[in-house]
Amino acid sequence: PERVTALYHWSTRGSGSFSSTSYPDYEHYRDHARSFASLAAYCRIPSYTPGRDAAENISGEVVTANYFDTMRIRPMAGRFFGPEDERAQVVVIGSKFASRRYGGAGAAIGRTLRLGARDFHIIGVAAEGFSGVVMDWGPAPEFWTPIANIRLIAPVFTFDPLALRGMHWLLAAGRLRDGVSLEQARAELRVLDGQLDRLRDEKHFDAVLMPVSQARFWPSYRNNIALYLATLAAVVVLVLIIACANTATLLLMRAAARRREIGVRMALGAGRGRLARQFLTEALLLSVISGAFGVLLAQWIGDAILTAYPNMFSIPLAVQAAFDWRVAAFGAGLTIAVGILVGLAPLRQALKESIVGPLRGSAAGGRLRTSDAFVLVQMALSVVLLAGAALFVRTLHSAQRVDLTPTPDRVLLAGFDAGGANYTPDQARALHQRVLAEVREVPGVEAASLAMVVPLGGRRGGTDVSAGDSAPLQVDFNAISPGHLQVIGVPLIAGRDFTDRDAQPGTVKVLVNEVFARRFWPDEDVIGKTFRIRKTELAEVIGVVRDGRMKSYRDDPRPCFYRHAYGTTGELTLYVRAHGRPLDLVPEIRRRIGMLDRNVTLRDPRTVRMHLDTAFSQERMASVLVSGLGFLALALASVGLYAVIGAAVARRTREFGVRIAVGASGRDIVSMVLRKALLLAGSGLAIGIGLALVLARAIRSQLFGVAPSDFASFAFASALLAAVAIVAAWLPARRAAKVDPISALRAE
């Protein structure tokens, strides 16, 4: 794998950004580069296949014939693509899909798989565990088909994407020849880029070559994803440190109560080695029991969360959140190792003891000072976790305010496909009008529309446009039907909406957003302005709509235009605004659409709220996990504080008895005890806030709509810690205030 590289393009215009490559550019690199033993191209695409009860969503990739050879992947069954398959309707499927659909890899070979409206012949099953190269382009692929089938799998293309040099939609991966270094290959690509500049309309793209291990995520997002995963791991490590400090505190308190026992053992001849074995045996037993319980608890909690909240972990990464015994074994081993190390804390203090001190009942000052330090650590790290939890919760709240519609619980979304390439644009146009007419007649439906891309779903339409003498600029685009803006509640700022007549052949009528209007015609009336789409279609602006985010809520609004959805032969999304519960309308809508054409499918029905739950799953997962672990850390810290204050009260019982005997009130005693607790909590709070401010700046990119130094988040963490500290110290303080002076003075 260290010889496999990934090829991207870097735009040198503006602030710079990564992009994929076009098929003609890929062909130029493939045919002229001598640094690669092979160079393959691929693209992740969604599709669907008929299921027993309803259509099943399935993710796949269109690939060049040399894709598997470049990856050095062997088939589990059958064979991979050869030169003769480049234009054949053949498919390779994943091992899990083969088991789920056909009962095994061998049974799948020679069978037919229907994708969309076309049948594909299964010729091979990929190796078990192979899930493609990239991990952040939606679900892992379960089928692969030759790249020439792109318009059969994704019939939304009314043009040939393989012929357009300006359409960047492919990822490329190449295996370096033996003896060729990465720098040598980069140098050759720079020469080839110079040749391509004479063929390209855009002169601002340079090839970027990197190891494939750095291309598992989109290069622009890789650092953020790595930081997100590292943040969750760091939170777990902080909780582990707090748990260690808590356990060490409790063991030190227990050892303080056993000082006389240890002194007697030493007086009777027990050596330090014998004491060491005793302490380590106790620590090992505690670790093994707690580690085993933790593994069982982790499995139960993980399964419960995945069952109850399936959308919580619907992050757009091809990773599994299910319980994994390898991770459990690592966690159990770490628990045992850390438990033994923590068990050495009281052992270190015990080995320092002389025989005389414990038998005389002298105070264990060093041990108590150590326990105070442990409590200080717990308090400080608890503040860090609580402040982080508050920041993530406020980030989720800010993200949820970036809405698609004012009433997300009343709008239904469902994938809708007009039969793929079996429909001509004119037939698809008629079908779309009939479908919307039928759906609008369903009782309970307020309004209905169609759209190509659902915003905040990780996808966007992208194409090049040019106005006047301007250079081509890649912008977002969407296809919508008349009335769509009213269905989702987005206002029309200027001009008019689409009508059915705008779908007729001729000049393309479009709506543009505010960013698009400012980019091409600043301070001008844009109604009636024209621009060209891919230099082949003339578009006329008939209206301006409010800005909105397309691919992700974190992205700033980009220039975007909307064209008419009628006549689109690929997949669209049906929007239905309901008077009541949208999901209750699905059976009747599906029945009516089936009466129009039984081959037309309605897939993945969900409300906009459910769609947003998936779109914000990363933020929700962070807020839930960090909040849960933060409160767990606070609970551990409060137990440690309670133990330290309780031990201090027990050690000062005679002192409190004397004070009460000479006239001190219960309030005075409570105040003395609380003062120590608040001193520990205040010191931990000060240290924790300083540490949290530093760490919050490090995760700035994970936040949205909230500053790293957000006052409300830090105030919440501080107030909660102070309240818990007072409660944890109150019980020992009241016990100290009720000390009987006579009993205390008689005590040994």
Side-chain angles (χ1 to χ4, degrees), residues 534-557:
R534 297 186 305 274
K535 294 190 174 182
T536 58
E537 295 181 292
L538 182 65
E540 178 186 350
V541 179
I542 63 172
V544 180
V545 302
R546 186 188 68 185
D547 287 336
R549 294 167 170 84
M550 183 69 71
K551 186 175 181 180
S552 168
Y553 73 91
R554 292 181 180 271
D555 297 336
D556 292 330

PDB file of all heavy atoms in Angstrom, residues 534-557:
ATOM      1  N   ARG A 534     -21.702  25.291 -18.723  1.00  0.00           N
ATOM      2  CA  ARG A 534     -20.752  24.424 -19.443  1.00  0.00           C
ATOM      3  C   ARG A 534     -20.550  24.868 -20.888  1.00  0.00           C
ATOM      4  O   ARG A 534     -20.264  24.060 -21.772  1.00  0.00           O
ATOM      5  CB  ARG A 534     -21.218  22.962 -19.413  1.00  0.00           C
ATOM      6  CG  ARG A 534     -21.296  22.349 -18.028  1.00  0.00           C
ATOM      7  CD  ARG A 534     -21.615  20.852 -18.115  1.00  0.00           C
ATOM      8  NE  ARG A 534     -22.838  20.633 -18.879  1.00  0.00           N
ATOM      9  CZ  ARG A 534     -24.062  20.673 -18.374  1.00  0.00           C
ATOM     10  NH1 ARG A 534     -24.229  20.922 -17.087  1.00  0.00           N
ATOM     11  NH2 ARG A 534     -25.122  20.456 -19.131  1.00  0.00           N
ATOM     12  N   LYS A 535     -20.760  26.163 -21.162  1.00  0.00           N
ATOM     13  CA  LYS A 535     -20.567  26.738 -22.495  1.00  0.00           C
ATOM     14  C   LYS A 535     -21.502  26.159 -23.547  1.00  0.00           C
ATOM     15  O   LYS A 535     -21.356  26.434 -24.732  1.00  0.00           O
ATOM     16  CB  LYS A 535     -19.117  26.556 -22.960  1.00  0.00           C
ATOM     17  CG  LYS A 535     -18.118  27.344 -22.135  1.00  0.00           C
ATOM     18  CD  LYS A 535     -16.743  27.314 -22.779  1.00  0.00           C
ATOM     19  CE  LYS A 535     -15.781  28.222 -22.041  1.00  0.00           C
ATOM     20  NZ  LYS A 535     -14.458  28.264 -22.663  1.00  0.00           N
ATOM     21  N   THR A 536     -22.481  25.345 -23.111  1.00  0.00           N
ATOM     22  CA  THR A 536     -23.364  24.707 -24.088  1.00  0.00           C
ATOM     23  C   THR A 536     -24.805  25.158 -23.956  1.00  0.00           C
ATOM     24  O   THR A 536     -25.559  25.116 -24.933  1.00  0.00           O
ATOM     25  CB  THR A 536     -23.316  23.175 -23.939  1.00  0.00           C
ATOM     26  OG1 THR A 536     -23.708  22.825 -22.600  1.00  0.00           O
ATOM     27  CG2 THR A 536     -21.909  22.647 -24.198  1.00  0.00           C
ATOM     28  N   GLU A 537     -25.221  25.585 -22.767  1.00  0.00           N
ATOM     29  CA  GLU A 537     -26.606  25.977 -22.543  1.00  0.00           C
ATOM     30  C   GLU A 537     -26.681  27.441 -22.131  1.00  0.00           C
ATOM     31  O   GLU A 537     -25.908  27.888 -21.278  1.00  0.00           O
ATOM     32  CB  GLU A 537     -27.253  25.118 -21.450  1.00  0.00           C
ATOM     33  CG  GLU A 537     -27.406  23.650 -21.798  1.00  0.00           C
ATOM     34  CD  GLU A 537     -28.069  22.879 -20.676  1.00  0.00           C
ATOM     35  OE1 GLU A 537     -27.433  22.737 -19.614  1.00  0.00           O
ATOM     36  OE2 GLU A 537     -29.211  22.434 -20.835  1.00  0.00           O
ATOM     37  N   LEU A 538     -27.607  28.146 -22.708  1.00  0.00           N
ATOM     38  CA  LEU A 538     -27.844  29.531 -22.329  1.00  0.00           C
ATOM     39  C   LEU A 538     -28.937  29.569 -21.272  1.00  0.00           C
ATOM     40  O   LEU A 538     -30.013  28.999 -21.466  1.00  0.00           O
ATOM     41  CB  LEU A 538     -28.261  30.358 -23.543  1.00  0.00           C
ATOM     42  CG  LEU A 538     -28.496  31.855 -23.282  1.00  0.00           C
ATOM     43  CD1 LEU A 538     -27.192  32.541 -22.862  1.00  0.00           C
ATOM     44  CD2 LEU A 538     -29.093  32.528 -24.513  1.00  0.00           C
ATOM     45  N   ALA A 539     -28.653  30.227 -20.134  1.00  0.00           N
ATOM     46  CA  ALA A 539     -29.596  30.296 -19.018  1.00  0.00           C
ATOM     47  C   ALA A 539     -30.017  31.738 -18.787  1.00  0.00           C
ATOM     48  O   ALA A 539     -29.190  32.657 -18.837  1.00  0.00           O
ATOM     49  CB  ALA A 539     -28.968  29.716 -17.756  1.00  0.00           C
ATOM     50  N   GLU A 540     -31.307  31.939 -18.523  1.00  0.00           N
ATOM     51  CA  GLU A 540     -31.848  33.259 -18.233  1.00  0.00           C
ATOM     52  C   GLU A 540     -32.367  33.295 -16.799  1.00  0.00           C
ATOM     53  O   GLU A 540     -33.112  32.405 -16.379  1.00  0.00           O
ATOM     54  CB  GLU A 540     -32.986  33.590 -19.197  1.00  0.00           C
ATOM     55  CG  GLU A 540     -33.626  34.950 -18.920  1.00  0.00           C
ATOM     56  CD  GLU A 540     -34.842  35.199 -19.775  1.00  0.00           C
ATOM     57  OE1 GLU A 540     -35.083  34.410 -20.726  1.00  0.00           O
ATOM     58  OE2 GLU A 540     -35.584  36.168 -19.499  1.00  0.00           O
ATOM     59  N   VAL A 541     -31.978  34.343 -16.056  1.00  0.00           N
ATOM     60  CA  VAL A 541     -32.382  34.483 -14.659  1.00  0.00           C
ATOM     61  C   VAL A 541     -33.798  35.053 -14.605  1.00  0.00           C
ATOM     62  O   VAL A 541     -34.081  36.115 -15.179  1.00  0.00           O
ATOM     63  CB  VAL A 541     -31.410  35.399 -13.894  1.00  0.00           C
ATOM     64  CG1 VAL A 541     -31.869  35.556 -12.439  1.00  0.00           C
ATOM     65  CG2 VAL A 541     -29.994  34.849 -13.949  1.00  0.00           C
ATOM     66  N   ILE A 542     -34.688  34.332 -13.885  1.00  0.00           N
ATOM     67  CA  ILE A 542     -36.064  34.818 -13.733  1.00  0.00           C
ATOM     68  C   ILE A 542     -36.397  35.160 -12.284  1.00  0.00           C
ATOM     69  O   ILE A 542     -37.464  35.726 -12.018  1.00  0.00           O
ATOM     70  CB  ILE A 542     -37.080  33.783 -14.253  1.00  0.00           C
ATOM     71  CG1 ILE A 542     -36.993  32.501 -13.420  1.00  0.00           C
ATOM     72  CG2 ILE A 542     -36.842  33.502 -15.726  1.00  0.00           C
ATOM     73  CD1 ILE A 542     -38.100  31.500 -13.746  1.00  0.00           C
ATOM     74  N   GLY A 543     -35.499  34.811 -11.344  1.00  0.00           N
ATOM     75  CA  GLY A 543     -35.788  35.100  -9.945  1.00  0.00           C
ATOM     76  C   GLY A 543     -34.558  34.947  -9.073  1.00  0.00           C
ATOM     77  O   GLY A 543     -33.560  34.330  -9.466  1.00  0.00           O
ATOM     78  N   VAL A 544     -34.614  35.538  -7.868  1.00  0.00           N
ATOM     79  CA  VAL A 544     -33.530  35.469  -6.888  1.00  0.00           C
ATOM     80  C   VAL A 544     -34.108  34.916  -5.586  1.00  0.00           C
ATOM     81  O   VAL A 544     -35.153  35.394  -5.110  1.00  0.00           O
ATOM     82  CB  VAL A 544     -32.899  36.854  -6.632  1.00  0.00           C
ATOM     83  CG1 VAL A 544     -31.769  36.748  -5.603  1.00  0.00           C
ATOM     84  CG2 VAL A 544     -32.384  37.453  -7.932  1.00  0.00           C
ATOM     85  N   VAL A 545     -33.438  33.900  -5.009  1.00  0.00           N
ATOM     86  CA  VAL A 545     -33.896  33.287  -3.760  1.00  0.00           C
ATOM     87  C   VAL A 545     -32.880  33.558  -2.654  1.00  0.00           C
ATOM     88  O   VAL A 545     -31.734  33.940  -2.914  1.00  0.00           O
ATOM     89  CB  VAL A 545     -34.107  31.770  -3.921  1.00  0.00           C
ATOM     90  CG1 VAL A 545     -35.102  31.485  -5.023  1.00  0.00           C
ATOM     91  CG2 VAL A 545     -32.791  31.068  -4.226  1.00  0.00           C
ATOM     92  N   ARG A 546     -33.310  33.329  -1.449  1.00  0.00           N
ATOM     93  CA  ARG A 546     -32.460  33.543  -0.286  1.00  0.00           C
ATOM     94  C   ARG A 546     -31.278  32.581  -0.295  1.00  0.00           C
ATOM     95  O   ARG A 546     -31.393  31.443  -0.741  1.00  0.00           O
ATOM     96  CB  ARG A 546     -33.276  33.341   0.991  1.00  0.00           C
ATOM     97  CG  ARG A 546     -32.558  33.671   2.283  1.00  0.00           C
ATOM     98  CD  ARG A 546     -33.395  33.234   3.482  1.00  0.00           C
ATOM     99  NE  ARG A 546     -33.470  31.779   3.557  1.00  0.00           N
ATOM    100  CZ  ARG A 546     -34.214  31.124   4.439  1.00  0.00           C
ATOM    101  NH1 ARG A 546     -34.967  31.788   5.297  1.00  0.00           N
ATOM    102  NH2 ARG A 546     -34.228  29.801   4.448  1.00  0.00           N
ATOM    103  N   ASP A 547     -30.141  33.036   0.216  1.00  0.00           N
ATOM    104  CA  ASP A 547     -28.962  32.174   0.319  1.00  0.00           C
ATOM    105  C   ASP A 547     -29.236  31.005   1.257  1.00  0.00           C
ATOM    106  O   ASP A 547     -29.988  31.125   2.234  1.00  0.00           O
ATOM    107  CB  ASP A 547     -27.759  32.968   0.846  1.00  0.00           C
ATOM    108  CG  ASP A 547     -27.195  33.922  -0.189  1.00  0.00           C
ATOM    109  OD1 ASP A 547     -27.408  33.674  -1.381  1.00  0.00           O
ATOM    110  OD2 ASP A 547     -26.548  34.912   0.202  1.00  0.00           O
ATOM    111  N   GLY A 548     -28.598  29.888   0.961  1.00  0.00           N
ATOM    112  CA  GLY A 548     -28.688  28.716   1.824  1.00  0.00           C
ATOM    113  C   GLY A 548     -27.453  27.861   1.648  1.00  0.00           C
ATOM    114  O   GLY A 548     -26.754  27.947   0.635  1.00  0.00           O
ATOM    115  N   ARG A 549     -27.171  27.044   2.631  1.00  0.00           N
ATOM    116  CA  ARG A 549     -26.024  26.136   2.556  1.00  0.00           C
ATOM    117  C   ARG A 549     -26.454  24.856   1.861  1.00  0.00           C
ATOM    118  O   ARG A 549     -27.541  24.352   2.115  1.00  0.00           O
ATOM    119  CB  ARG A 549     -25.472  25.856   3.955  1.00  0.00           C
ATOM    120  CG  ARG A 549     -24.859  27.091   4.613  1.00  0.00           C
ATOM    121  CD  ARG A 549     -24.603  26.857   6.099  1.00  0.00           C
ATOM    122  NE  ARG A 549     -23.807  27.921   6.693  1.00  0.00           N
ATOM    123  CZ  ARG A 549     -24.301  29.061   7.146  1.00  0.00           C
ATOM    124  NH1 ARG A 549     -25.596  29.288   7.075  1.00  0.00           N
ATOM    125  NH2 ARG A 549     -23.507  29.973   7.675  1.00  0.00           N
ATOM    126  N   MET A 550     -25.560  24.311   1.041  1.00  0.00           N
ATOM    127  CA  MET A 550     -25.925  23.165   0.234  1.00  0.00           C
ATOM    128  C   MET A 550     -25.381  21.862   0.829  1.00  0.00           C
ATOM    129  O   MET A 550     -26.128  21.008   1.288  1.00  0.00           O
ATOM    130  CB  MET A 550     -25.427  23.344  -1.197  1.00  0.00           C
ATOM    131  CG  MET A 550     -25.827  22.204  -2.132  1.00  0.00           C
ATOM    132  SD  MET A 550     -27.585  22.123  -2.488  1.00  0.00           S
ATOM    133  CE  MET A 550     -27.765  23.557  -3.539  1.00  0.00           C
ATOM    134  N   LYS A 551     -24.060  21.703   0.853  1.00  0.00           N
ATOM    135  CA  LYS A 551     -23.463  20.425   1.236  1.00  0.00           C
ATOM    136  C   LYS A 551     -23.421  20.240   2.747  1.00  0.00           C
ATOM    137  O   LYS A 551     -23.740  19.174   3.265  1.00  0.00           O
ATOM    138  CB  LYS A 551     -22.042  20.336   0.656  1.00  0.00           C
ATOM    139  CG  LYS A 551     -21.377  18.980   0.871  1.00  0.00           C
ATOM    140  CD  LYS A 551     -20.027  18.942   0.174  1.00  0.00           C
ATOM    141  CE  LYS A 551     -19.360  17.585   0.355  1.00  0.00           C
ATOM    142  NZ  LYS A 551     -18.044  17.536  -0.311  1.00  0.00           N
ATOM    143  N   SER A 552     -23.034  21.277   3.476  1.00  0.00           N
ATOM    144  CA  SER A 552     -22.887  21.177   4.926  1.00  0.00           C
ATOM    145  C   SER A 552     -23.227  22.520   5.541  1.00  0.00           C
ATOM    146  O   SER A 552     -23.007  23.573   4.931  1.00  0.00           O
ATOM    147  CB  SER A 552     -21.455  20.772   5.295  1.00  0.00           C
ATOM    148  OG  SER A 552     -21.213  20.936   6.678  1.00  0.00           O
ATOM    149  N   TYR A 553     -23.739  22.482   6.758  1.00  0.00           N
ATOM    150  CA  TYR A 553     -24.086  23.737   7.431  1.00  0.00           C
ATOM    151  C   TYR A 553     -22.843  24.545   7.773  1.00  0.00           C
ATOM    152  O   TYR A 553     -22.927  25.752   8.021  1.00  0.00           O
ATOM    153  CB  TYR A 553     -24.886  23.442   8.708  1.00  0.00           C
ATOM    154  CG  TYR A 553     -24.063  22.876   9.841  1.00  0.00           C
ATOM    155  CD1 TYR A 553     -23.479  23.711  10.785  1.00  0.00           C
ATOM    156  CD2 TYR A 553     -23.858  21.512   9.972  1.00  0.00           C
ATOM    157  CE1 TYR A 553     -22.713  23.206  11.821  1.00  0.00           C
ATOM    158  CE2 TYR A 553     -23.107  21.001  10.999  1.00  0.00           C
ATOM    159  CZ  TYR A 553     -22.541  21.849  11.921  1.00  0.00           C
ATOM    160  OH  TYR A 553     -21.781  21.338  12.934  1.00  0.00           O
ATOM    161  N   ARG A 554     -21.674  23.908   7.801  1.00  0.00           N
ATOM    162  CA  ARG A 554     -20.443  24.627   8.113  1.00  0.00           C
ATOM    163  C   ARG A 554     -19.913  25.420   6.920  1.00  0.00           C
ATOM    164  O   ARG A 554     -19.092  26.310   7.098  1.00  0.00           O
ATOM    165  CB  ARG A 554     -19.364  23.646   8.588  1.00  0.00           C
ATOM    166  CG  ARG A 554     -19.656  23.014   9.949  1.00  0.00           C
ATOM    167  CD  ARG A 554     -18.532  22.078  10.365  1.00  0.00           C
ATOM    168  NE  ARG A 554     -18.790  21.465  11.646  1.00  0.00           N
ATOM    169  CZ  ARG A 554     -18.444  21.983  12.814  1.00  0.00           C
ATOM    170  NH1 ARG A 554     -17.822  23.150  12.840  1.00  0.00           N
ATOM    171  NH2 ARG A 554     -18.716  21.359  13.942  1.00  0.00           N
ATOM    172  N   ASP A 555     -20.343  25.056   5.724  1.00  0.00           N
ATOM    173  CA  ASP A 555     -19.860  25.758   4.530  1.00  0.00           C
ATOM    174  C   ASP A 555     -20.580  27.094   4.381  1.00  0.00           C
ATOM    175  O   ASP A 555     -21.798  27.184   4.573  1.00  0.00           O
ATOM    176  CB  ASP A 555     -20.105  24.912   3.278  1.00  0.00           C
ATOM    177  CG  ASP A 555     -19.336  23.606   3.296  1.00  0.00           C
ATOM    178  OD1 ASP A 555     -18.306  23.547   3.999  1.00  0.00           O
ATOM    179  OD2 ASP A 555     -19.772  22.657   2.627  1.00  0.00           O
ATOM    180  N   ASP A 556     -19.829  28.109   4.022  1.00  0.00           N
ATOM    181  CA  ASP A 556     -20.460  29.387   3.712  1.00  0.00           C
ATOM    182  C   ASP A 556     -21.289  29.240   2.436  1.00  0.00           C
ATOM    183  O   ASP A 556     -20.951  28.436   1.552  1.00  0.00           O
ATOM    184  CB  ASP A 556     -19.393  30.470   3.512  1.00  0.00           C
ATOM    185  CG  ASP A 556     -18.665  30.807   4.806  1.00  0.00           C
ATOM    186  OD1 ASP A 556     -19.291  30.676   5.875  1.00  0.00           O
ATOM    187  OD2 ASP A 556     -17.476  31.178   4.739  1.00  0.00           O
ATOM    188  N   PRO A 557     -22.394  29.983   2.324  1.00  0.00           N
ATOM    189  CA  PRO A 557     -23.207  29.903   1.098  1.00  0.00           C
ATOM    190  C   PRO A 557     -22.364  30.185  -0.145  1.00  0.00           C
ATOM    191  O   PRO A 557     -21.591  31.141  -0.192  1.00  0.00           O
ATOM    192  CB  PRO A 557     -24.270  30.982   1.314  1.00  0.00           C
ATOM    193  CG  PRO A 557     -24.387  31.100   2.804  1.00  0.00           C
ATOM    194  CD  PRO A 557     -22.996  30.878   3.332  1.00  0.00           C
TER     195      PRO A 557
END
